[in-house]
């Protein structure tokens, strides 16, 4: 089989590897589509992010979908089924799994991660062998590219679950990359009253407006935009920080009304903390890390088109043109979500 292996920053190679065979209790999947994630881009450009750095070659990728080649009897899965594959393989036995916090599993095997050494090899390969519970079937009418968006949509759904009820609430989303855009789509589907989106590029804001944002703001041209929303006791019930920037974080804090909730979704470095806002307005600051049960919810939302993810899809590249795909994915003036096509 083919596998997309990163050896060093920028050194991305399409290599030949032995394909894993079928086993009695595992599902063998032929991968058809893979979405390039922000973490994949961090590995590609910098060899990692924060304290997480590659120390050995690693197959990239964790946003994938494909068709089943072989499945165990009694699994409810059959050859030919289109499935979205959850990249989370938790152990089910550690303290956090037993407490219902599987996304914090102490023995998590999350595809394409350099956190442990040896690294967890990723899913950008022709054939993947996974547990049956990692496979979520899609109905006819949904293609593999849409199905592969289940993983980033699950990230967005977990973040919004951390925020609490959405109905009738006013939301701020800072940053409109793929995750910010999916938060917008999910918030609209969740009947939020307003969703204001901020970004630094007009292209991203035009996309956000087309996806149903109540208002969009270019913070590069309007650096004092938050003054209006922070006046008095401020405006928003919920803020989702999806940019990873200090400015976005500060804008969220300033614009949240008393007892508002700020959810951190954007990866970035250390941030200054304006504690007075947190204290005086009793703001809840909440982290959001990966997902677990939200993966099934994301697949259901895509299958029924309750959340239509097609507006975030930008372009597909053949696996043989992976370098161009990664360069295109890194240019937010051209793309939102770029996919690799394993069928070509």
């Amino acid at each position: 089989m083919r596998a997309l292996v990163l050896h060093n920053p920028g050194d991305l190679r399409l290599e030949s590897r032995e394909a894993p065979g079928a086993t009695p209790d595992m599902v063998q999947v032929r991968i058809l589509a893979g979405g390039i994630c922000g973490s994949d881009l961090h590995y590609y450009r910098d060899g990692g992010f924060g304290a997480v750095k590659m120390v050995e070659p690693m197959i990239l990728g964790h946003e994938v979908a494909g068709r089943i080649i072989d499945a165990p009897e009694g699994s409810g899965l059959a050859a030919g089924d289109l499935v979205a594959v959850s990249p989370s393989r938790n152990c089910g036995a550690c303290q956090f799994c037993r407490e219902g916090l599987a996304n914090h599993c102490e023995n998590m095997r999350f595809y394409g991660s350099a956190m442990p050494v040896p690294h967890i090899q990723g899913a950008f390969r022709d054939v993947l062998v996974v547990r049956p519970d990692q496979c979520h079937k899609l109905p006819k009418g949904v293609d593999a590219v849409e199905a592969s968006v289940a993983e980033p949509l699950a990230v967005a759904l977990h973040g919004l679950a951390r925020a609490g009820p959405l109905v009738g609430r006013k939301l701020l989303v800072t940053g409109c990359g793929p995750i910010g855009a999916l938060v917008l789509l999910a918030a609209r589907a969740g009947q939020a009253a307003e969703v204001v989106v901020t970004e630094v590029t007009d292209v991203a804001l035009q996309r956000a407006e087309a996806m149903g944002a109540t208002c969009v703001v270019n913070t590069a041209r309007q650096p004092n935009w938050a003054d209006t929303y922070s006046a008095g006791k401020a405006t928003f019930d919920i803020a989702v920080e999806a940019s990873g920037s200090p400015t976005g974080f500060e804008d969220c804090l300033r614009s949240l009304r008393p007892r508002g909730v700020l959810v951190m979704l954007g990866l970035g470095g250390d941030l200054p903390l304006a504690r007075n806002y947190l204290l005086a307005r009793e703001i809840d600051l909440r982290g959001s890390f990966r997902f677990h049960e939200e993966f099934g919810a994301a697949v259901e939302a895509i299958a029924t088109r309750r959340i239509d993810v097609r507006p975030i899809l930008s372009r597909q590249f053949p696996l043989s043109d992976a370098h161009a795909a990664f360069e295109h994915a890194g240019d937010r003036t051209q793309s939102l979500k770029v996919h690799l096509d394993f069928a070509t």
Side-chain angles (χ1 to χ4, degrees):
M1 70 173 184
R2 299 168 300 171
L4 193 59
V5 185
L6 184 67
H7 287 255
N8 289 295
D11 184 5
L12 192 61
R13 307 178 195 176
L14 190 58
E15 299 180 354
S16 180
R17 298 282 181 93
E18 185 176 351
T23 65
D25 57 347
M26 300 288 274
V27 181
Q28 190 183 35
V29 181
R30 181 167 299 283
I31 301 302
L32 297 177
I36 297 174
C37 175
S39 62
D40 294 320
L41 286 171
H42 279 295
Y43 286 127
Y44 175 71
R45 289 169 170 166
D46 308 314
F49 47 90
V52 178
K53 297 294 183 182
M54 286 178 52
V55 297
E56 61 187 12
M58 183 174 75
I59 300 174
L60 295 179
H62 55 268
E63 301 178 10
V64 295
R67 293 201 179 275
I68 290 178
I69 302 170
D70 188 74
E73 192 172 334
S75 64
L77 302 166
D81 286 343
L82 175 65
V83 292
V85 179
S86 172
S88 297
R89 186 184 289 187
N90 66 304
C91 72
C94 72
Q95 173 187 346
F96 295 104
C97 285
R98 296 196 308 271
E99 291 177 1
L101 299 173
N103 59 313
H104 293 286
C105 172
E106 294 176 300
N107 307 300
M108 177 65 76
R109 307 287 293 175
F110 193 94
Y111 295 141
S113 172
M115 286 184 181
V117 179
H119 300 332
I120 311 300
Q121 297 299 307
F124 285 169
R125 55 177 97 181
D126 285 321
V127 179
L128 196 61
V129 170
V130 301
R131 292 190 324 214
D133 64 285
Q134 292 178 262
C135 295
H136 297 253
K137 284 198 295 187
L138 277 298
K140 291 181 179 178
V142 179
D143 66 23
V145 172
E146 282 182 81
S148 69
V149 181
E151 195 277 345
L153 179 56
V155 171
L157 292 179
H158 183 69
L160 288 174
R162 295 282 294 137
L166 298 177
V167 178
R169 299 297 185 93
K170 295 180 180 180
L171 268 72
L172 170 65
V173 182
T174 53
C176 197
I179 297 298
L182 288 167
V183 168
L184 164 61
L185 291 173
R188 298 304 290 174
Q191 300 180 51
E194 295 181 22
V195 185
V196 175
V197 176
T198 68
E199 247 291 350
V200 294
T201 65
D202 286 331
V203 173
L205 292 172
Q206 288 164 6
R207 294 190 192 108
E209 204 163 27
M211 289 181 223
T214 310
C215 177
V216 297
V217 180
N218 186 317
T219 56
R221 288 207 309 270
Q222 298 173 257
N224 300 318
W225 72 275
D227 291 349
T228 300
Y229 291 99
S230 61
K233 287 287 187 177
T235 303
F236 297 105
D237 302 293
I238 297 167
V240 179
E241 207 307 289
S243 73
S245 74
T247 302
F249 179 66
E250 182 181 350
D251 287 343
C252 288
L253 277 179
R254 291 181 60 204
S255 304
L256 278 168
R257 65 190 301 275
R259 299 199 177 179
V261 176
L262 197 171
V263 177
M264 301 294 292
L265 270 182
L267 286 171
D270 292 337
L271 296 170
L273 182 61
R275 291 185 295 174
N276 288 347
Y277 286 115
L278 287 172
L279 187 150
R281 294 187 186 161
E282 299 183 308
I283 290 170
D284 285 351
L285 177 60
R286 301 178 185 175
S288 181
F289 183 65
R290 293 179 179 163
F291 52 83
H292 191 67
E293 61 272 9
E294 291 88 359
F295 193 89
V299 171
E300 184 276 333
I302 292 170
T304 60
R305 294 246 163 88
R306 184 176 65 82
I307 298 176
D308 188 352
V309 299
R310 289 175 294 179
I312 81 161
L313 305 180
S314 299
R315 186 174 169 186
Q316 296 178 54
F317 287 79
L319 188 58
S320 58
D321 206 5
H323 272 284
F326 272 72
E327 292 297 328
H328 193 77
D331 184 352
R332 291 303 181 211
T333 66
Q334 296 188 68
S335 66
L336 192 52
K337 176 56 71 175
V338 171
H339 282 82
L340 296 169
D341 181 358
F342 287 73
T344 57

